[in-house]
Amino acid sequence: MAISRILVVGSGGREHALAWRLARDAHAPHVIVTPGNDGMARTFERLDVSETDAAGIVRAAREHAVELVVVGPESALAAGVSDALVEAGIPCFGASRAAARLESSKWFAKEVMREAGVPTARAFAWATEAEAFAALETLGAPHVVKADGLAAGKGVLVTSDLAEARAFAADCLSGSRFGAQGRVVIEEFLRGEEASVIALCDGEHFLLLPPARDHKRAFDGDAGPNTGGMGAVAPAPVVTREIERVTAERVVAPMLRTMAARGTPYVGALYCGLMVRSTHAHSTEAGSLGPVAVVEFNARFGDPETQAMLPLVVGDFSAALAAAAQGRLAPDALSRGSGGAVTIALVDEGYPVSTFGTGTIEGLDALEGRGDLFVFHAGTRRDGDTWRVKGGRAAYVTATGENAATARERAYAACATLRGAHWRMRSDIGAGPGVPAATQHGMGGQ
Ligand code: AMP
Ligand code: GLY
């Protein structure tokens, strides 16, 4: 059944990409966004209901006669937006609050993984400093210390410095850093290459979107602090068909079975943050986990992975999400285009440490209208002909190509035409194992 009216909840680059991809379906559905952003408002009807206002979103969905709501951000899931929509009988693609705990509690995710037999690092939750410090000594360096609850992407420390690990664990327990959480998670360090695999799930069936690799560190060469993501490449070279098969069989399928058996079926995008381990590592480590281990789950589409994955998705995307929302997703509902895509985040100069909010980006609009180049907005504000940077990740430039290397060349060539001030980007997104280096381009007007 063709879906003709859709509401997308959220305001970031991920939601812009979702709205864009939904509107591209052959029957050109009408896409409404809330609260959206200035960039999205040029193309889509925009409402001003907050993403965490569950009752307001139900009302808006009814008023605007939408047949499907797609929920982007975790904050909306945690606010019970999906639960409220389902209760009101409105099809919703997005995890219930209970299922979204896979993202909001590291320890809950570990418990479900243990029950489901999903490969992941051994982890321990401790309520006292003495126990946590002893665990750090036992597991040895590098140390991995995690705050249990949501911590705005800053709740994980990986370090070889025992004193730093102890201090972080103590802060998690005292509540001085992330508020009182009562316990800290300490886990075994996993070696390998990271990749993001996102499954569209209907509670029982699923299909995998093209795998992606996110670049989380702020600066070139994976230096600097962690961010929400500075760019992504799809497909991720490390995720071979065999790795996908293992992920489907050993991660996604058992997670869906276990979540359903617990009475909290998983409907929505299940983001599997994976460590793909070299043959050498997984054959020699004690208690071999196999070629794939889960680092984390998120209960939503990745940002910025979505901006790189969706241009490669072929088929009726809105019908697939609606089918998933109604428990009847066919595993072959979508297919994959050949080639690759790269997305580059344009960020506030101070990101992620502080917000300058003084940036301007010029030339973005001139990149639009080509079949192989897409601009997705997030933290921008329209000011005449200029896009102002409100803060954080402002916008994304995505390019597609016959392979990831061509996409990368094209994306950086496009970014090199941009002007303005007080914004920056990484110049090595998509480089690395499996992707030949692109020609170096200037950073353009910074
Ligand atoms: P998370 O928020 O759990 O994804 O952790 C943030 C980042 O920390 C991940 O993307 C990894 O780079 C790193 N990390 C987390 N857990 C581990 C682990 N057990 N072994 C190695 N690196 C890890
Ligand atoms: N790119 C990582 C995330 O969406 O959490």
Side-chain angles (χ1 to χ4, degrees), residues 79-105:
V81 167
S82 301
D83 306 73
L85 286 161
V86 168
E87 192 160 311
I90 300 164
C92 168
F93 185 81
S96 67
R97 188 178 356 209
R101 279 187 73 209
L102 283 181
E103 171 166 359
S104 60
S105 167

Side-chain angles (χ1 to χ4, degrees), residues 333-349:
L334 298 171
S335 59
R336 256 176 229 181
S338 58
V342 166
T343 194
I344 297 163
L346 317 179
V347 306
D348 184 292
E349 212 171 15

Side-chain angles (χ1 to χ4, degrees), residues 133-230:
F133 291 178
L136 289 171
E137 305 268 0
T138 311
L139 283 178
H143 306 286
V144 181
V145 188
K146 302 187 176 187
D148 183 37
L150 286 179
K154 295 186 179 130
V156 177
L157 177 74
V158 180
T159 180
S160 290
D161 181 338
L162 180 61
E164 194 188 6
R166 287 169 73 131
F168 187 87
D171 284 356
C172 290
L173 285 171
S174 72
S176 64
R177 226 181 248 253
F178 308 112
Q181 300 189 330
R183 58 192 172 183
V184 59
V185 176
I186 290 175
E187 69 180 50
E188 178 185 26
F189 179 80
L190 296 172
R191 277 168 223 288
E193 246 188 88
E194 286 186 75
S196 315
V197 171
I198 293 173
L200 303 186
C201 307
D202 75 354
E204 185 183 350
H205 315 99
F206 64 93
L207 64 83
L208 302 185
L209 294 180
R213 178 155 77 97
D214 180 15
H215 296 257
K216 285 195 174 126
R217 298 299 192 106
F219 304 114
D220 284 3
D222 287 331
N226 257 323
T227 70
M230 295 294 294

Side-chain angles (χ1 to χ4, degrees), residues 2 4 38 99 159 186 195-196 246 248 289 295 301 312 341 346 366 375 423:
S4 57
D38 285 2
T159 180
I186 290 175
S196 315
V246 174
L289 292 168
V295 174
F301 289 98
L312 304 177
L346 317 179
V375 176
W423 62 272

